[in-house]
């Protein structure tokens, strides 16, 4: 053993001296030499017929070029959003007419059966109405958005997006593969968090986990779409699809910018370190099979998310209805709770009901808007919310301005992750500390951003 | 100095491999980039005679199998698909550790003929560790379709190791591959693969340090060990030192006139 120890020490000493002599960038030099050798050999033995332009290579030259990569990405993304917004309007109105028409029938049935008023309130006004909202607001945009998104996914476009954005993430001290986990986050943040397993370095994986929430999941897209309709409606006097598209695109780009900023801050403070290198293979483009694509995106995504929303919305609708109708010392529980939150809500350009809706929406982001509408509705006037215009009226009667809608969009984009995502983070990190931070950081960012936007708007007398 | 956990993991895996089946004459590792048809080659060589096992302490699943050729029984281990052995992913660590500390009798590098350059990066790295390497030039049918031609003979002479063309999907060339493996392992002839030459400073340091590692008489090329001692992070340096110590004890036990340092 002692000979070993002596041998080890002299060897270590030797290695240390040599390392100092060779300088710190040795690994880079080694890799560069290896690549040069591989290139030299290949040049001598491989003969390619270059006259024929390979379609994939041609496409990649445009899609991943420094000049066209970014505009194309934004154009495709806004295109998808535009189709979703423009296309979802009509079926949405139709569905809500259908479902709310059925509500009148249900009420009539309850009356013929002489059911007590509280039962009718709980089942019809609480549960059914929330359900009708979730289905009519969420189903059409999802049924358009998901097949389109799946199309680009199956086409092989997403790795190119990762490739384009890689240098930004590298500058932010994060891993290029984080983009892929963000793409998953568009579907569902919990899935996004699980997908961070593709990042090997624990440090960069944590960065990706803590910031995944800044990508709006499909539970939040309906809220964004509705806010876009309201805000463009108020600003441009009539609802304008193109403006709404630009608004949602802007919100998503803001989310990506915040992701980069927070990643950068994390890798400078809590999670210090340098980004590790990785190889990203750009798979060949494949034209997706439309049949399987439709079945998969509708069954696996649309119906799955809708069922989740419905399952959470039903009990949540019930709870909210009870909250709104149980009176304690002259006011409902909901009013009491909203009253406590009112001060902070006003400070960041929201109100107590909105904050309460976000808190009650912790189980799933899908139900934030239904809860909010229910709590406004329960205050008195019963509205048939057949269109976004009717909804707008209701909201503006409750003291909203375009700034409120903008702040809700920002808060929805940046606030704490839903319960499912938090549980997933706890499972993946096995740490209470990081789970807490995963909730605290976004909440802090969301509050700060909304506060700033509100102050600025007031400063310039925009409201 | 005790063995590190990972290093002992390899020996545990090898022990398991040895006891899991009857004796075999040689241990062959299958390496290569992802999506090169490596698993197809593996299945083509071993047929149904295979099972999967876990790398101890890691979440990487390794398939191992056996086949018989010209009266010899060979064990084949399908390593995880990697682009290099230098990055820090678990897959690359497992592949690297198996090739150097697992001391296989031969390593077959499955390459994709449609993008040879990227595949050669890995092959060159493996050729630095051991001389017992065979290149399996796979997916030749796809290369033909894409109008890519490869001068196999020239590649073979440039690399200094056997290059066997295959279309594993159709079982083309697999018999030739088996024969080439047997010739390499049992033929008694050691190939002289092309070694990557680095810049003069590094070359001097490498010569100096590998001369000091020479007496350990490792099967792993001392030049590669020296290179990794110089450019790697601490965990790998520790692993190599512990491998050297293990080797030294082993050598001292088996040969009474063991090397004195």
């Amino acid at each position: 053993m002692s000979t070993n120890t002596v041998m080890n020490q002299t060897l270590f000493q030797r290695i240390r001296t040599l390392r100092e002599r060779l300088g710190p960038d040795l690994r880079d030099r080694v890799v560069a030499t290896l690549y040069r050798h591989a290139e030299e050999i290949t040049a001598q033995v491989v003969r390619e017929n270059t006259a024929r332009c390979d379609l994939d290579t041609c496409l990649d030259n445009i899609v991943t070029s420094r000049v066209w990569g970014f505009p194309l990405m934004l154009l495709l993304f806004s295109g998808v959003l535009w189709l979703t917004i423009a296309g979802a309007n009509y079926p949405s109105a139709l569905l809500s007419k259908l479902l709310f028409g059925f509500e009148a029938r249900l009420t009539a049935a309850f009356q013929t059966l002489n059911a007590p008023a509280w039962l009718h309130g709980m089942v019809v006004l609480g549960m059914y109405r929330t359900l009708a909202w979730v289905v009519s607001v969420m189903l059409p945009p999802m049924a358009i958005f998901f097949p389109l998104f799946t199309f680009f996914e199956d086409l092989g476009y997403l790795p190119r997006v990762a490739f384009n954005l890689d240098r930004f993430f590298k500058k932010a001290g994060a891993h290029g593969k984080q983009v892929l986990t963000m793409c998953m986050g568009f579907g569902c943040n919990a899935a996004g968090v699980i997908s961070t397993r593709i990042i090997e370095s624990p440090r960069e994986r944590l960065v990706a986990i803590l910031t995944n929430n800044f990508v709006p999941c499909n539970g939040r897209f309906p809220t964004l779409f509705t806010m876009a309709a309201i805000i463009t409606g108020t600003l441009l006097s009539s609802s304008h699809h193109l403006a709404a598209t630009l608004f949602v695109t802007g919100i998503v780009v803001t989310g990506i910018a915040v992701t980069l900023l927070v990643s950068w801050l994390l890798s400078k403070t809590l999670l210090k370190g340098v980004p590790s290198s990785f190889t990203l293979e750009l798979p060949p483009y494949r034209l997706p099979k439309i049949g399987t694509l439709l079945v998969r995106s509708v069954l696996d995504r649309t119906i799955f998310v809708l069922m989740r929303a419905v399952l959470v919305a039903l009990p949540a609708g019930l709870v909210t209805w009870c909250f709104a109708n149980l009176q304690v010392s002259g006011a409902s529980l909901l009013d009491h709770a909203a009253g406590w939150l009112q001060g902070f809500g006003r400070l960041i350009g929201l109100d107590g009901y909105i904050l309460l809706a976000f808190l009650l929406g912790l189980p799933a982001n899908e139900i934030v808007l239904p809860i909010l509408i229910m709590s406004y509705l329960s205050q008195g006037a019963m509205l048939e919310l057949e269109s976004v215009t009717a909804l707008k009226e209701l909201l503006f009667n409750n003291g909203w301005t375009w700034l409120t809608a903008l702040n809700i969009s920002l808060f929805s984009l940046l606030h704490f992750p839903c319960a499912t995502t938090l549980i997933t983070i706890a499972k993946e990190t096995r740490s209470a500390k990081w789970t807490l931070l995963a909730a605290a950081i976004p909440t802090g960012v969301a509050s700060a951003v909304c506060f700033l936007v509100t102050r600025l708007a007031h400063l310039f007398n925009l409201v | 100095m005790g063995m590190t956990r990972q290093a002992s993991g390899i020996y545990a895996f090898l022990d398991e491999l040895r006891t899991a089946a009857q004796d075999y004459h040689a241990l062959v590792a299958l390496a290569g980039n992802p999506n090169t048809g490596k698993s197809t080659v593996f299945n083509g060589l071993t047929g149904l005679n295979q099972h999967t096992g876990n790398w101890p302490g890691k979440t990487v699943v390794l398939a191992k199998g056996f086949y018989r050729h010209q009266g010899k029984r060979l064990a084949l281990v399908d390593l995880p698909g990697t682009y290099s052995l230098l990055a820090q992913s678990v897959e690359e660590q497992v592949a690297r550790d198996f090739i150097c500390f697992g001391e296989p009798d031969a390593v077959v590098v499955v390459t994709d003929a449609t993008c040879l350059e990227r595949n050669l990066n890995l092959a060159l790295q493996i050729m630095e560790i051991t001389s017992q390497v065979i290149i399996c030039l796979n997916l030749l049918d796809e290369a033909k379709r894409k109008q890519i031609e490869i001068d196999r003979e020239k590649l073979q002479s440039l690399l200094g190791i056997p290059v066997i063309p295959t279309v594993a999907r159709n079982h083309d060339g697999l018999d030739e591959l088996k024969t080439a493996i047997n010739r390499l392992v049992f033929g008694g002839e050691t190939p002289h693969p092309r070694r990557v030459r680095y810049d003069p400073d590094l070359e001097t340091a490498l010569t100096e340090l590998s001369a000091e590692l020479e007496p350990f008489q490792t099967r792993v090329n001392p030049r590669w060990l020296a290179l990794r001692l110089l450019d790697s992070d601490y965990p790998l340096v520790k692993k190599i030192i512990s491998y050297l110590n293990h080797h030294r004890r082993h050598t001292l036990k088996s040969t009474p006139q063991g090397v004195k340092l």
Side-chain angles (χ1 to χ4, degrees):
Chain A
M1 271 308 160
S2 66
T3 39
N4 268 349
T5 325
V6 171
M7 187 259 329
N8 288 344
Q9 271 169 2
T10 37
L11 194 55
F12 266 125
Q13 193 52 50
R14 199 57 187 274
I15 294 167
R16 204 168 298 137
T17 342
L18 284 173
R19 274 181 179 232
E20 270 164 32
R21 209 170 76 197
L22 289 164
D25 63 336
L26 189 63
R27 175 54 71 81
D28 290 346
R29 270 152 62 193
V30 167
V31 172
T33 314
L34 274 168
Y35 275 51
R36 212 189 51 238
H37 274 250
E39 206 182 321
E40 276 170 19
I41 298 171
T42 313
Q44 289 182 63
V45 298
V46 176
R47 232 191 25 242
E48 261 177 278
N49 189 350
T50 43
R52 190 181 60 107
C53 175
D54 186 10
L55 186 68
D56 276 20
T57 325
C58 288
L59 265 177
D60 272 338
N61 283 345
I62 302 168
V63 168
T64 59
S65 87
R66 290 215 157 204
V67 185
W68 296 109
F70 268 85
L72 196 69
M73 226 155 56
L74 276 177
L75 198 74
L76 284 175
F77 190 64
S78 354
V80 168
L81 287 180
W82 185 82
L83 280 175
T84 308
I85 289 171
N89 242 8
Y90 179 72
S92 219
L94 197 77
L95 263 177
S96 86
K97 198 170 261 170
L98 216 77
L99 290 169
F100 283 103
F102 189 66
E103 187 195 310
R105 284 241 194 113
L106 266 182
T107 309
F110 269 76
Q111 275 163 356
T112 22
L113 288 172
N114 272 331
W118 61 265
L119 188 68
H120 171 255
M122 259 164 58
V123 174
V124 177
L125 300 182
M127 286 164 66
Y128 180 77
R129 180 164 282 192
T130 317
L131 175 77
W133 249 99
V134 168
V135 173
S136 62
V137 169
M138 288 182 55
L139 182 58
M142 284 195 320
I144 301 173
F145 184 73
F146 284 150
L148 287 175
F149 194 79
T150 316
F151 176 81
F152 283 106
E153 207 178 332
D154 289 1
L155 190 67
Y157 184 62
L158 294 191
R160 273 84 187 177
V161 173
F163 181 85
N164 284 341
L165 290 172
D166 176 51
R167 57 199 151 116
F168 294 96
F169 280 85
K170 200 160 206 173
K171 271 197 191 119
H175 201 286
K177 279 192 204 163
Q178 192 172 331
V179 180
L180 294 175
T181 68
M182 286 163 70
C183 289
M184 288 298 286
F186 275 115
C188 167
N189 291 128
V193 167
I194 293 176
S195 73
T196 58
R197 288 181 187 171
I198 60 170
I199 300 173
E200 287 91 14
S201 131
R203 183 192 77 84
E204 286 151 305
R205 198 173 157 216
L206 264 175
V207 171
I209 288 178
L210 292 178
T211 55
N212 191 274
N213 184 53
F214 295 131
V215 176
C217 65
N218 56 60
R220 288 181 278 168
F221 263 110
T223 310
L224 295 179
F225 288 144
T226 315
M227 290 305 125
I230 290 170
I231 211 167
T232 49
T234 55
L235 286 176
L236 306 170
S237 76
S238 76
S239 193
H240 206 292
H241 293 152
L242 193 66
T245 304
L246 287 178
F247 176 79
V248 179
T249 310
I251 289 288
V252 172
V253 170
T254 310
I256 295 171
V258 171
T259 304
L260 284 168
L261 188 73
V262 172
S263 302
W264 181 77
L265 282 174
L266 281 173
S267 60
K268 286 275 169 286
T269 53
L270 284 175
L271 293 163
K272 272 197 190 120
V274 284
S276 52
S277 57
F278 72 106
T279 323
L280 180 74
E281 189 169 9
L282 297 180
Y285 290 99
R286 282 194 192 96
L287 202 62
K289 291 205 173 67
I290 300 299
T292 22
L293 183 145
L294 280 178
V295 171
R296 260 193 33 232
S297 61
V298 170
L299 288 184
D300 295 0
R301 290 192 156 164
T302 314
I303 301 297
F304 172 79
V305 171
L306 195 71
M307 282 316 286
R308 199 172 93 100
V310 167
L311 285 179
V312 184
L314 285 179
L318 192 68
V319 169
T320 322
W321 187 86
C322 294
F323 248 61
N325 285 274
L326 284 177
Q327 303 280 324
V328 178
S329 56
S332 69
L333 273 177
L334 194 77
D335 291 332
H336 279 298
W340 295 325
L341 295 167
Q342 185 72 5
F344 182 67
R346 282 260 165 257
L347 188 71
I348 61 172
L350 303 170
D351 68 24
Y353 289 103
I354 301 173
L355 279 186
L356 190 63
F358 275 116
L359 284 176
L360 287 174
L362 181 69
N365 284 301
E366 288 86 344
I367 56 167
V368 169
L369 207 56
I371 290 179
L372 184 60
I373 291 158
M374 175 129 23
S375 42
Y376 283 147
L377 285 179
S378 64
Q379 290 179 304
M382 292 296 256
L383 270 171
E384 294 267 308
L385 293 172
E386 269 168 30
S387 62
V388 178
T389 336
L391 175 64
K392 202 176 99 187
E393 230 163 85
L394 168 76
L395 298 176
F396 279 67
N397 287 340
N398 278 284
W400 277 39
T401 62
W402 63 267
L403 182 63
T404 325
L406 173 63
N407 277 334
I408 288 190
S409 308
L410 288 170
F411 200 83
S412 171
L413 172 77
L414 304 171
H415 79 299
F416 48 82
C418 72
T420 315
T421 307
L422 283 174
I423 292 169
T424 311
I425 293 176
K427 272 191 196 149
E428 292 291 313
T429 60
R430 286 196 214 120
S431 139
K433 178 189 151 200
W434 292 116
T435 312
L436 268 176
L437 275 172
I441 294 174
T443 311
V445 172
S447 307
V449 167
C450 288
F451 174 78
L452 274 175
V453 167
T454 311
R455 286 311 110 195
L456 282 173
H458 284 296
L459 191 68
F460 293 107
N461 283 323
L462 291 173
V463 188
Chain B
M1 191 173 176
M3 300 271 286
T4 63
R5 237 189 83 204
Q6 277 171 349
S8 65
I10 293 141
Y11 299 109
F13 178 83
L14 287 172
D15 282 347
E16 196 204 323
L17 185 72
R18 284 188 183 109
T19 49
Q22 314 80 323
D23 273 333
Y24 50 83
H25 298 106
L27 174 63
V28 179
L30 210 55
N33 287 16
N35 305 321
T36 52
K38 194 161 59 65
S39 298
T40 319
V41 173
F42 180 78
N43 291 334
L45 288 179
T46 60
L48 291 174
N49 193 359
Q50 52 169 283
H51 50 283
T52 51
N54 251 320
W55 188 260
K58 299 273 181 188
T59 50
V60 177
V61 177
L62 292 177
K64 49 199 171 181
F66 299 89
Y67 69 89
R68 203 172 260 286
H69 186 68
Q70 296 169 341
K72 301 284 186 188
R73 194 176 146 78
L74 292 98
L76 193 65
V77 174
D78 190 13
L79 298 176
T82 60
Y83 294 102
S84 88
L85 299 177
L86 293 170
Q88 282 307 303
S89 74
V90 183
E91 284 81 11
E92 300 195 16
Q93 278 178 37
V94 168
R96 180 197 67 204
D97 285 358
F98 190 86
I99 293 170
C100 72
F101 306 126
E103 303 191 337
D105 298 295
V107 183
V108 175
V109 186
V110 183
T111 56
D112 178 352
T114 64
C115 43
L116 190 64
E117 184 175 335
R118 195 180 64 198
N119 286 261
L120 279 182
N121 280 324
L122 178 71
L124 286 172
Q125 287 175 42
I126 293 173
M127 286 153 59
E128 285 190 307
I129 303 178
T130 163
S131 305
Q132 303 286 98
V133 186
I134 292 179
I135 299 274
C136 163
L137 195 58
N138 197 27
L139 302 177
L140 270 176
D141 49 342
E142 269 190 44
K144 199 175 244 168
R145 226 183 31 242
K146 289 191 174 176
Q147 294 180 287
I148 298 170
E149 276 172 50
I150 296 173
D151 188 340
R152 186 193 68 88
E153 309 239 311
K154 188 154 191 191
L155 181 62
Q156 188 163 281
S157 73
L158 279 175
L159 292 177
I161 54 170
V163 175
I164 312 296
T166 60
V167 181
R169 213 177 353 218
N170 309 338
H171 264 261
D172 286 352
L174 290 186
D175 271 332
E176 288 80 352
L177 182 62
K178 285 183 192 171
T179 308
I181 294 171
N182 274 21
R183 204 181 312 131
L184 179 71
V185 177
F186 308 111
E189 225 177 283
T190 316
H192 295 282
R194 169 198 179 115
R195 303 281 189 204
V196 174
R197 307 227 47 98
Y198 296 98
D199 52 75
D201 283 357
L202 181 52
E203 283 296 333
T204 324
L206 280 180
T207 320
E208 217 172 287
L209 192 57
S210 48
E212 279 185 52
L213 302 179
E214 212 66 66
F216 288 94
Q217 293 184 317
T218 55
R219 274 178 78 175
V220 174
N221 185 4
R223 192 179 136 90
W224 180 82
L225 289 174
L227 183 59
R228 290 293 92 84
L229 285 174
L230 292 176
D231 82 340
S232 298
D233 50 7
Y234 186 66
L236 181 56
V237 171
K238 229 171 88 182
K239 227 186 269 181
I240 292 175
I241 303 255
S242 108
Y243 164 79
L244 288 174
N245 288 337
H246 176 82
H247 228 279
R248 182 159 175 273
R249 270 203 299 280
H250 192 73
T251 327
L252 284 176
K253 234 186 292 165
S254 53
T255 50
Q257 307 89 348
V259 199
K260 290 258 159 56
L261 279 172

